[in-house]
Amino acid sequence: MGRSTLLVAASAVLEPVLDRATPYHLPHSTQVAGYAVIYGGDDRYVGNLFLGGDPDAAYGAGAEGEGPPLAGTAGYDGHPASFAEYLARLAAQPPSDQQKYVEVRQPVYVRANTYAAGARPFEGEHEPLVLGAASAAVVAEGDAVWLVTDLPEAFDEARIGVVTGRDLERVRCADAEFEETDGSPAVMDVDLTGELRQPDRDGAVGPIAGLASGAHRTRVF
């Protein structure tokens, strides 16, 4: 179940939207459990590959968001890096009813990612791998779609095993685990090409388990 996500992208500075709320649901149900202010955070990025690029091409004119777009996860700078840090920040707020939950940003969980071509990691990420020049492009040719990459030799050091729900922190608002309907942990073991990641062998970070340094063309569709 699940796929490795292609994250050759940019992240914008995150700000709350205080004039509307969104519903969240009970686990494995459409029953509404509550409503919360829409606020960035409570996100998880594990074992991804981020490359810098042209923000205008990524977002286009009139894109939402505050501040300049940033390639990588640096848009999360200022967020707590753990749930314990989040609770500590809440405890440090003046007494209030709901206001402190608006003032304190939600935690983000970012680890084991690789950044290249100017992409920058979240300041709270522990030992991210930051590389130099690299490129990636999605190319359509006839009825085929190819991922064309040129990655530095050091990329081969960026490895990760199969990620499961047990590796992902519990969702805050919905108070839910990342699990299947039978209660077993979700398993993200299928890459972008449909190949299985092996539980006893590390693969490359990013969308393709067999991705390697150098120039490569990988058919993804």
Side-chain angles (χ1 to χ4, degrees):
M1 178 274 177
R3 287 185 179 272
S4 245
T5 306
L6 172 60
L7 285 170
V8 182
S11 58
V13 176
L14 303 169
E15 296 293 341
V17 181
L18 302 181
D19 60 350
R20 71 176 189 266
T22 188
Y24 55 91
H25 301 268
L26 296 175
H28 314 301
S29 171
T30 58
Q31 182 176 345
V32 174
Y35 292 82
V37 169
I38 300 170
Y39 200 103
D42 199 24
D43 296 325
R44 294 138 190 84
Y45 292 92
V46 181
N48 296 289
L49 171 62
F50 291 89
L51 271 68
D54 180 3
D56 292 333
Y59 288 98
E64 294 184 1
E66 299 290 337
L70 304 170
T73 53
Y76 287 109
D77 286 355
H79 284 253
S82 68
F83 193 65
E85 184 182 350
Y86 171 72
L87 293 179
R89 292 190 188 187
L90 285 177
Q93 293 292 305
S96 67
D97 183 8
Q98 299 180 3
Q99 187 61 30
K100 66 180 179 181
Y101 294 98
V102 176
E103 298 293 336
V104 176
R105 296 182 177 187
Q106 294 190 99
V108 294
Y109 310 100
V110 184
R111 58 186 180 275
N113 298 294
T114 296
Y115 304 81
R120 295 196 294 111
F122 165 53
E123 62 186 2
E125 182 169 1
H126 180 64
E127 295 184 350
L129 180 59
V130 180
L131 307 177
S135 64
V138 177
V139 178
E141 295 179 355
D143 62 352
V145 178
W146 300 83
L147 177 62
V148 180
T149 55
D150 192 352
L151 302 172
E153 184 176 352
F155 173 75
D156 295 330
E157 303 171 13
R159 315 292 288 176
I160 192 168
V162 173
V163 177
T164 77
R166 289 194 176 96
D167 302 309
L168 304 175
E169 291 76 3
R170 194 174 181 88
V171 175
R172 187 181 76 81
C173 282
D175 193 29
E177 302 285 356
F178 288 86
E179 61 185 17
E180 304 288 359
T181 55
D182 64 1
S184 62
V187 179
M188 281 59 80
D189 61 353
V190 182
D191 77 3
L192 192 63
T193 67
E195 294 296 318
L196 281 174
R197 290 180 177 267
Q198 302 302 316
D200 57 347
R201 186 171 70 249
D202 288 350
V205 301
I208 300 170
L211 193 62
S213 62
H216 294 279
R217 286 167 52 93
T218 307
R219 186 168 180 173
V220 294
F221 181 77

